Amino acid sequence: MKKTITFFTILVSWITIQAQESIDLLTYENTQDINFFTSVKNGALIKEYITTTKNSVKVGDTLILGSPTSQEMNTKTYSGSYGNRATGGIAQSRSTSKKTYEFIQLGRPAGFGSVMSAMGGNAQNMADNSFKNTKVIVNEIKTYHRGSKNKPLYVVMVLGEINGRAFGINKYLSVMDTELGVESGEILLINRKMTREEAIAKLKEAKELLEIDMMSKDDFEELKKNLAPIITNN
């Protein structure tokens, strides 16, 4: 009997550990619920994530990279001397800028590219404007605490190229905060649900078209019926 109890205790503990390291469905509400997130380990693998706007992102989904929302400045200084003897130097500086993503970096969250960058004393290499409108595949979804295990979770997506090629030296891109990536428009969800604000704007536009006889009353009522659940949050 003792052996049986011990076996089941070990089995329950093993199942609990597995649940902490792999989660089938994670919602934004889960990430903010202390009764939930304290049992989740850093780097837990997620199969499906439901965003704050009730959109679903799954491993294997196709996404599109939107527009970068940040700008990176680089300044280089050149110095030199003139004449037979160096009596003084003339320094010139040149600054260049490029658009970069705020939440999408090159490589995995702690991959080879990130390590090499850190060893060189540089900040993380963020993806630049050349990736705009690129279709990508969600290879992994992971969740991490914002500090200790008593802190809420945030969700990281690891993206791969849709044709299997690498992103330069890096095989992957990492969305370091999925919620902010989606909210900022740096990540575009192909099957994204319309927000309440978008539904209201669409209905207002339809009403204007109705008033100038550019839309029939039947079409307007049909659209109103379809948008009503979104606007009333039902």
Side-chain angles (χ1 to χ4, degrees), residues 64-70 100-104 126 175 180-188:
I64 298 174
L65 302 186
S67 299
T69 59
S70 186
T100 59
Y101 288 90
E102 182 76 16
F103 307 106
I104 306 174
M126 307 308 288
V175 183
L180 294 178
V182 172
E183 182 182 330
S184 65
E186 290 193 349
I187 292 293
L188 305 178

Side-chain angles (χ1 to χ4, degrees), residues 129-153:
N129 196 50
S130 64
F131 292 102
K132 181 180 177 181
N133 296 328
T134 299
K135 284 188 176 182
V136 293
I137 293 286
V138 180
N139 278 60
E140 289 179 358
I141 304 174
K142 294 185 173 183
T143 189
Y144 298 87
H145 291 275
R146 296 188 184 276
S148 70
K149 71 173 185 178
N150 294 320
K151 298 291 186 181
L153 301 166

Side-chain angles (χ1 to χ4, degrees), residues 44-178:
L45 290 169
I46 311 301
K47 291 183 180 178
E48 181 179 5
Y49 176 61
I50 306 297
T51 70
T52 185
T53 53
K54 308 303 180 187
N55 286 290
S56 168
V57 184
K58 299 177 184 177
V59 173
D61 279 357
T62 299
L63 307 178
I64 298 174
L65 302 186
S67 299
T69 59
S70 186
Q71 192 154 305
E72 185 179 280
M73 295 289 296
N74 290 315
T75 302
K76 291 185 178 180
T77 301
Y78 306 88
S79 62
S81 58
Y82 300 88
N84 295 325
R85 291 190 301 175
T87 57
I90 296 176
Q92 294 181 327
S93 64
R94 183 175 65 192
S95 296
T96 59
S97 64
K98 63 177 179 179
K99 289 184 177 180
T100 59
Y101 288 90
E102 182 76 16
F103 307 106
I104 306 174
Q105 74 173 40
L106 297 170
R108 287 180 174 275
F112 176 75
S114 298
V115 173
M116 293 299 290
S117 181
M119 287 175 65
N122 300 317
Q124 294 296 336
N125 286 327
M126 307 308 288
D128 61 33
N129 196 50
S130 64
F131 292 102
K132 181 180 177 181
N133 296 328
T134 299
K135 284 188 176 182
V136 293
I137 293 286
V138 180
N139 278 60
E140 289 179 358
I141 304 174
K142 294 185 173 183
T143 189
Y144 298 87
H145 291 275
R146 296 188 184 276
S148 70
K149 71 173 185 178
N150 294 320
K151 298 291 186 181
L153 301 166
Y154 67 98
V155 176
V156 172
M157 290 192 295
V158 179
L159 310 176
E161 273 208 85
I162 203 162
N163 57 11
R165 293 186 295 114
F167 296 105
I169 189 174
N170 304 277
K171 289 185 178 180
Y172 305 98
L173 298 177
S174 294
V175 183
M176 300 310 296
D177 191 313
T178 296

